[in-house]
Amino acid sequence: MAIGAAFPGEIRRLSVVRQLTTGVVLHLWAILNDGERHLKRYVVVFVNDEMVVAFMMNTDLHPLVVPECQLRLDGFAYITHPCHLDCGRTRTFEYEEVVRQLMADTSRILGRIDSDVRDDIQRAMRDSPLIPDEEKATYHDSLDRVTF
């Protein structure tokens, strides 16, 4: 049981909402392309009261993703094996669903990216043919506001 589970719901919610910002790394359940529900790691690139937009981490390079949009990540406590961040496409979650998942298990708030990863994400998403330019600008600006 995560230590956060010992606190009342209102306090857990305040803590989750405070930490749910651009640049946080989360472990979230999502239904993927295979139709199955998977627990995956994500880097949040945009948050508002309605949605959380993130890039998904994969163990391997994905052959259908533009290679320039995939970043190798290592050297972080939340990375236990080599992984790649897919900056070529986003996944959008409902804000309240993310809050519910994290309140149920606050240990799934894994950490934060650093400035080097932030800069690499901004460069990598520029090459994505799947993210509209207007959204790229929004995510770039959101990442620019991350403090380290």
Side-chain angles (χ1 to χ4, degrees), residues 8-148:
E10 309 84 44
I11 292 174
R12 273 197 325 272
R13 181 177 177 83
L14 287 172
S15 176
V16 164
V17 167
R18 182 181 53 78
Q19 295 177 76
L20 184 52
T21 60
T22 299
V24 70
V25 180
L26 306 173
H27 216 185
L28 298 174
W29 286 102
I31 296 175
L32 301 183
N33 294 339
D34 63 2
E36 299 292 321
R37 193 168 181 241
H38 298 271
L39 186 60
K40 292 287 203 173
R41 290 171 293 170
Y42 294 88
V43 174
V44 174
V45 295
F46 179 80
V47 179
N48 67 19
D49 292 342
E50 297 174 11
M51 66 180 159
V52 175
V53 180
F55 291 134
M56 185 170 67
M57 290 185 194
N58 292 306
T59 303
D60 300 310
L61 288 171
H62 195 285
L64 299 178
V65 178
V66 177
E68 296 80 14
C69 294
Q70 296 190 55
L71 301 176
R72 182 179 169 95
L73 295 179
D74 52 21
F76 293 94
Y78 50 82
I79 306 242
T80 56
H81 55 279
C83 70
H84 298 84
L85 186 64
D86 178 358
C87 298
R89 60 188 167 167
T90 59
R91 177 165 295 274
T92 301
F93 297 88
E94 291 182 12
Y95 180 84
E96 287 301 324
E97 172 57 23
V98 173
V99 170
R100 273 191 296 279
Q101 284 193 44
L102 297 175
M103 283 181 63
D105 185 354
T106 57
S107 71
R108 290 197 281 136
I109 302 170
L110 303 178
R112 298 193 55 77
I113 61 172
D114 63 21
S115 60
D116 291 335
V117 171
R118 186 254 338 254
D119 296 345
D120 289 344
I121 290 172
Q122 288 174 317
R123 275 191 295 278
M125 79 176 159
R126 276 184 241 159
D127 294 323
S128 174
L130 301 175
I131 304 173
D133 289 341
E134 180 179 295
E135 289 179 26
K136 287 179 192 177
T138 298
Y139 307 148
H140 190 281
D141 292 346
S142 180
L143 285 161
D144 270 345
R145 291 189 296 275
V146 172
T147 55
F148 304 99

